[in-house]
Amino acid sequence: MAEETELLLIPAPGAPAEFLATVVPMETGESTDASSSTVQLPFEIQLDNYTRETWSLLQQRNDNNIPWEKKALTTADARSAKKLHGFLKYLKERKKSSSAKLRLEGEDGRQSVGCFLIPYDQPDTMMESNHRSYSKDPDNAKIQFVGKFLRDRSILANALAQKQASKQQQQQARKSLAIKQQQHQQQH
């Protein structure tokens, strides 16, 4: 049996975590290309934040060369299917991704703080399959989704800082060019 992971949701800052779902990795034969991750999920993941940032999207271009890994997951029981089905719909309707910090152990035994995301832009085929499965038999439905992992959150922070610095340099260059053009026009 695959290792189970409990997803807990913290509905508001300071609120206690609530059960969302028990999930397991999808079997290789039923998975998409999203199951290539070797990340071992911890027993418990507490989803404690939401974001609309482009880096949180599943279908996002990797402008910053951030080494995201994807893992296809599925619910382990009917109770999980009902809650997760509603949660995925909630994320999609609000165009939000949900995130959590993860304590991960590398192959070398070193600990790192990683990031786990449930992006709102799940594959359409997976969402349609979830809807059919849940509509047909909610007590036996298997809800599937793709989680996104980053082994070290500092990689994301550094990439975002570099992107911001690059934006500021571009803005400064535009301002300098505009000032030079204005000075040139005043001289003529």
Short mmCIF file of all heavy atoms in Angstrom, two decimals, residues 3-40:
data_model
loop_
_atom_site.label_atom_id
_atom_site.label_comp_id
_atom_site.label_asym_id
_atom_site.label_seq_id
_atom_site.Cartn_x
_atom_site.Cartn_y
_atom_site.Cartn_z
N GLU A 3 2.13 5.06 0.71
CA GLU A 3 2.11 5.85 1.93
C GLU A 3 1.02 6.90 1.88
O GLU A 3 0.88 7.63 0.90
CB GLU A 3 3.47 6.54 2.12
CG GLU A 3 4.57 5.57 2.44
CD GLU A 3 5.88 6.28 2.74
OE1 GLU A 3 5.85 7.40 3.27
OE2 GLU A 3 6.91 5.70 2.43
N GLU A 4 0.25 6.98 2.95
CA GLU A 4 -0.83 7.95 3.03
C GLU A 4 -0.31 9.26 3.62
O GLU A 4 0.56 9.26 4.49
CB GLU A 4 -1.97 7.42 3.91
CG GLU A 4 -2.68 6.26 3.30
CD GLU A 4 -3.88 5.80 4.13
OE1 GLU A 4 -4.02 6.23 5.29
OE2 GLU A 4 -4.67 5.00 3.60
N THR A 5 -0.88 10.35 3.15
CA THR A 5 -0.58 11.68 3.67
C THR A 5 -1.89 12.36 4.00
O THR A 5 -2.81 12.35 3.18
CB THR A 5 0.19 12.52 2.64
OG1 THR A 5 1.45 11.90 2.38
CG2 THR A 5 0.42 13.92 3.13
N GLU A 6 -1.98 12.92 5.18
CA GLU A 6 -3.17 13.69 5.55
C GLU A 6 -2.96 15.14 5.17
O GLU A 6 -1.97 15.75 5.56
CB GLU A 6 -3.44 13.58 7.05
CG GLU A 6 -4.15 12.33 7.43
CD GLU A 6 -4.73 12.38 8.84
OE1 GLU A 6 -4.68 13.44 9.51
OE2 GLU A 6 -5.25 11.35 9.26
N LEU A 7 -3.92 15.68 4.41
CA LEU A 7 -3.92 17.10 4.11
C LEU A 7 -4.82 17.76 5.14
O LEU A 7 -5.99 17.38 5.30
CB LEU A 7 -4.46 17.36 2.71
CG LEU A 7 -3.65 16.80 1.55
CD1 LEU A 7 -4.34 17.10 0.23
CD2 LEU A 7 -2.23 17.33 1.55
N LEU A 8 -4.28 18.75 5.83
CA LEU A 8 -5.04 19.53 6.80
C LEU A 8 -5.13 20.95 6.28
O LEU A 8 -4.19 21.46 5.67
CB LEU A 8 -4.37 19.50 8.17
CG LEU A 8 -4.15 18.11 8.77
CD1 LEU A 8 -3.38 18.21 10.07
CD2 LEU A 8 -5.47 17.41 9.00
N LEU A 9 -6.23 21.60 6.54
CA LEU A 9 -6.45 22.96 6.07
C LEU A 9 -6.58 23.88 7.27
O LEU A 9 -7.36 23.60 8.19
CB LEU A 9 -7.73 23.01 5.23
CG LEU A 9 -8.12 24.34 4.63
CD1 LEU A 9 -7.06 24.83 3.65
CD2 LEU A 9 -9.46 24.22 3.93
N ILE A 10 -5.82 24.96 7.26
CA ILE A 10 -5.96 25.99 8.29
C ILE A 10 -6.83 27.07 7.67
O ILE A 10 -6.37 27.81 6.79
CB ILE A 10 -4.58 26.52 8.74
CG1 ILE A 10 -3.78 25.37 9.35
CG2 ILE A 10 -4.75 27.67 9.72
CD1 ILE A 10 -2.39 25.71 9.79
N PRO A 11 -8.10 27.15 8.07
CA PRO A 11 -9.06 28.03 7.39
C PRO A 11 -8.81 29.53 7.59
O PRO A 11 -9.23 30.33 6.76
CB PRO A 11 -10.41 27.61 7.98
CG PRO A 11 -10.09 26.95 9.27
CD PRO A 11 -8.71 26.38 9.15
N ALA A 12 -8.15 29.90 8.67
CA ALA A 12 -7.87 31.31 8.95
C ALA A 12 -6.62 31.39 9.83
O ALA A 12 -6.35 30.44 10.58
CB ALA A 12 -9.06 31.97 9.64
N PRO A 13 -5.88 32.48 9.76
CA PRO A 13 -4.70 32.61 10.63
C PRO A 13 -5.06 32.40 12.10
O PRO A 13 -6.04 32.95 12.60
CB PRO A 13 -4.22 34.03 10.38
CG PRO A 13 -4.74 34.38 9.02
CD PRO A 13 -6.06 33.65 8.91
N GLY A 14 -4.31 31.56 12.76
CA GLY A 14 -4.54 31.29 14.18
C GLY A 14 -5.57 30.22 14.45
O GLY A 14 -5.72 29.77 15.59
N ALA A 15 -6.31 29.80 13.44
CA ALA A 15 -7.35 28.78 13.63
C ALA A 15 -6.70 27.40 13.65
O ALA A 15 -5.64 27.19 13.06
CB ALA A 15 -8.37 28.85 12.49
N PRO A 16 -7.33 26.44 14.32
CA PRO A 16 -6.78 25.09 14.32
C PRO A 16 -6.94 24.44 12.94
O PRO A 16 -7.85 24.77 12.18
CB PRO A 16 -7.62 24.35 15.36
CG PRO A 16 -8.88 25.13 15.47
CD PRO A 16 -8.54 26.56 15.13
N ALA A 17 -6.04 23.52 12.65
CA ALA A 17 -6.09 22.80 11.37
C ALA A 17 -7.29 21.86 11.36
O ALA A 17 -7.62 21.24 12.36
CB ALA A 17 -4.80 22.02 11.18
N GLU A 18 -7.93 21.75 10.19
CA GLU A 18 -9.07 20.86 10.00
C GLU A 18 -8.72 19.82 8.94
O GLU A 18 -8.03 20.13 7.97
CB GLU A 18 -10.29 21.66 9.54
CG GLU A 18 -10.75 22.70 10.54
CD GLU A 18 -11.89 23.58 10.00
OE1 GLU A 18 -12.34 23.35 8.85
OE2 GLU A 18 -12.31 24.47 10.74
N PHE A 19 -9.24 18.61 9.11
CA PHE A 19 -9.01 17.54 8.15
C PHE A 19 -9.59 17.93 6.78
O PHE A 19 -10.72 18.40 6.68
CB PHE A 19 -9.66 16.25 8.64
CG PHE A 19 -9.56 15.13 7.66
CD1 PHE A 19 -8.42 14.36 7.56
CD2 PHE A 19 -10.63 14.84 6.81
CE1 PHE A 19 -8.33 13.33 6.64
CE2 PHE A 19 -10.55 13.81 5.89
CZ PHE A 19 -9.39 13.05 5.81
N LEU A 20 -8.78 17.73 5.73
CA LEU A 20 -9.26 17.95 4.37
C LEU A 20 -9.35 16.62 3.61
O LEU A 20 -10.39 16.30 3.05
CB LEU A 20 -8.34 18.93 3.62
CG LEU A 20 -8.67 19.17 2.15
CD1 LEU A 20 -10.07 19.78 2.00
CD2 LEU A 20 -7.63 20.06 1.52
N ALA A 21 -8.25 15.86 3.61
CA ALA A 21 -8.26 14.61 2.85
C ALA A 21 -7.06 13.75 3.21
O ALA A 21 -6.04 14.25 3.65
CB ALA A 21 -8.23 14.91 1.36
N THR A 22 -7.23 12.46 2.99
CA THR A 22 -6.10 11.53 3.03
C THR A 22 -5.81 11.18 1.58
O THR A 22 -6.72 10.77 0.85
CB THR A 22 -6.45 10.26 3.83
OG1 THR A 22 -6.81 10.64 5.16
CG2 THR A 22 -5.27 9.31 3.88
N VAL A 23 -4.56 11.37 1.18
CA VAL A 23 -4.20 11.14 -0.22
C VAL A 23 -3.03 10.16 -0.31
O VAL A 23 -2.26 10.00 0.64
CB VAL A 23 -3.83 12.46 -0.95
CG1 VAL A 23 -5.03 13.39 -1.00
CG2 VAL A 23 -2.64 13.15 -0.31
N VAL A 24 -2.92 9.53 -1.48
CA VAL A 24 -1.82 8.63 -1.79
C VAL A 24 -1.35 8.95 -3.20
O VAL A 24 -2.13 9.45 -4.02
CB VAL A 24 -2.25 7.14 -1.69
CG1 VAL A 24 -2.62 6.77 -0.27
CG2 VAL A 24 -3.40 6.84 -2.64
N PRO A 25 -0.09 8.63 -3.50
CA PRO A 25 0.37 8.81 -4.89
C PRO A 25 -0.43 7.91 -5.82
O PRO A 25 -0.80 6.79 -5.46
CB PRO A 25 1.84 8.37 -4.84
CG PRO A 25 2.23 8.48 -3.41
CD PRO A 25 0.98 8.18 -2.61
N MET A 26 -0.70 8.41 -7.02
CA MET A 26 -1.41 7.59 -8.01
C MET A 26 -0.49 6.47 -8.47
O MET A 26 0.72 6.62 -8.51
CB MET A 26 -1.84 8.45 -9.20
CG MET A 26 -3.00 9.37 -8.86
SD MET A 26 -3.47 10.51 -10.18
CE MET A 26 -3.87 9.39 -11.50
N GLU A 27 -1.10 5.35 -8.81
CA GLU A 27 -0.33 4.22 -9.35
C GLU A 27 0.29 4.63 -10.68
O GLU A 27 -0.30 5.41 -11.43
CB GLU A 27 -1.25 3.01 -9.56
CG GLU A 27 -1.88 2.49 -8.29
CD GLU A 27 -0.86 1.93 -7.31
OE1 GLU A 27 0.13 1.32 -7.78
OE2 GLU A 27 -1.04 2.12 -6.10
N THR A 28 1.43 4.11 -10.99
CA THR A 28 2.16 4.49 -12.20
C THR A 28 1.32 4.30 -13.46
O THR A 28 1.30 5.15 -14.32
CB THR A 28 3.46 3.67 -12.32
OG1 THR A 28 4.16 3.77 -11.09
CG2 THR A 28 4.32 4.19 -13.44
N GLY A 29 0.59 3.21 -13.56
CA GLY A 29 -0.21 2.94 -14.75
C GLY A 29 -1.35 3.91 -14.96
O GLY A 29 -1.79 4.11 -16.08
N GLU A 30 -1.84 4.55 -13.90
CA GLU A 30 -2.98 5.45 -14.04
C GLU A 30 -2.58 6.92 -14.01
O GLU A 30 -3.40 7.80 -14.08
CB GLU A 30 -4.00 5.19 -12.92
CG GLU A 30 -3.48 5.47 -11.52
CD GLU A 30 -4.48 5.18 -10.43
OE1 GLU A 30 -5.69 5.39 -10.64
OE2 GLU A 30 -4.06 4.76 -9.36
N SER A 31 -1.30 7.19 -13.92
CA SER A 31 -0.86 8.56 -13.72
C SER A 31 -0.62 9.30 -15.02
O SER A 31 -0.57 8.73 -16.09
CB SER A 31 0.41 8.59 -12.88
OG SER A 31 1.47 8.06 -13.63
N THR A 32 -0.46 10.60 -14.86
CA THR A 32 -0.07 11.47 -15.96
C THR A 32 1.43 11.63 -15.89
O THR A 32 2.09 10.99 -15.10
CB THR A 32 -0.75 12.84 -15.78
OG1 THR A 32 -0.21 13.44 -14.60
CG2 THR A 32 -2.25 12.71 -15.67
N ASP A 33 1.98 12.52 -16.68
CA ASP A 33 3.42 12.78 -16.61
C ASP A 33 3.78 13.51 -15.32
O ASP A 33 4.92 13.85 -15.08
CB ASP A 33 3.88 13.59 -17.81
CG ASP A 33 3.24 14.96 -17.88
OD1 ASP A 33 2.24 15.19 -17.17
OD2 ASP A 33 3.73 15.79 -18.65
N ALA A 34 2.80 13.75 -14.47
CA ALA A 34 3.02 14.50 -13.25
C ALA A 34 3.50 13.65 -12.09
O ALA A 34 3.67 14.14 -11.00
CB ALA A 34 1.73 15.22 -12.84
N SER A 35 3.72 12.38 -12.29
CA SER A 35 4.15 11.53 -11.19
C SER A 35 5.64 11.22 -11.21
O SER A 35 6.08 10.24 -10.67
CB SER A 35 3.37 10.22 -11.21
OG SER A 35 2.06 10.46 -10.76
N SER A 36 6.42 12.07 -11.83
CA SER A 36 7.84 11.81 -11.93
C SER A 36 8.59 12.21 -10.67
O SER A 36 9.76 11.93 -10.53
CB SER A 36 8.42 12.57 -13.13
OG SER A 36 8.18 13.96 -12.96
N SER A 37 7.94 12.85 -9.73
CA SER A 37 8.60 13.32 -8.53
C SER A 37 9.01 12.17 -7.62
O SER A 37 8.30 11.19 -7.47
CB SER A 37 7.66 14.25 -7.74
OG SER A 37 8.25 14.59 -6.52
N THR A 38 10.17 12.32 -7.03
CA THR A 38 10.65 11.34 -6.06
C THR A 38 10.48 11.85 -4.64
O THR A 38 10.95 11.23 -3.70
CB THR A 38 12.14 11.03 -6.30
OG1 THR A 38 12.88 12.25 -6.20
CG2 THR A 38 12.35 10.39 -7.66
N VAL A 39 9.80 12.97 -4.48
CA VAL A 39 9.57 13.53 -3.15
C VAL A 39 8.74 12.56 -2.32
O VAL A 39 7.70 12.08 -2.78
CB VAL A 39 8.84 14.90 -3.24
CG1 VAL A 39 8.39 15.37 -1.88
CG2 VAL A 39 9.73 15.93 -3.88
N GLN A 40 9.21 12.26 -1.12
CA GLN A 40 8.44 11.45 -0.19
C GLN A 40 7.60 12.41 0.65
O GLN A 40 8.15 13.26 1.34
CB GLN A 40 9.36 10.64 0.73
CG GLN A 40 10.03 9.49 0.03
CD GLN A 40 9.05 8.37 -0.26
OE1 GLN A 40 7.94 8.58 -0.73
NE2 GLN A 40 9.45 7.17 0.01
#
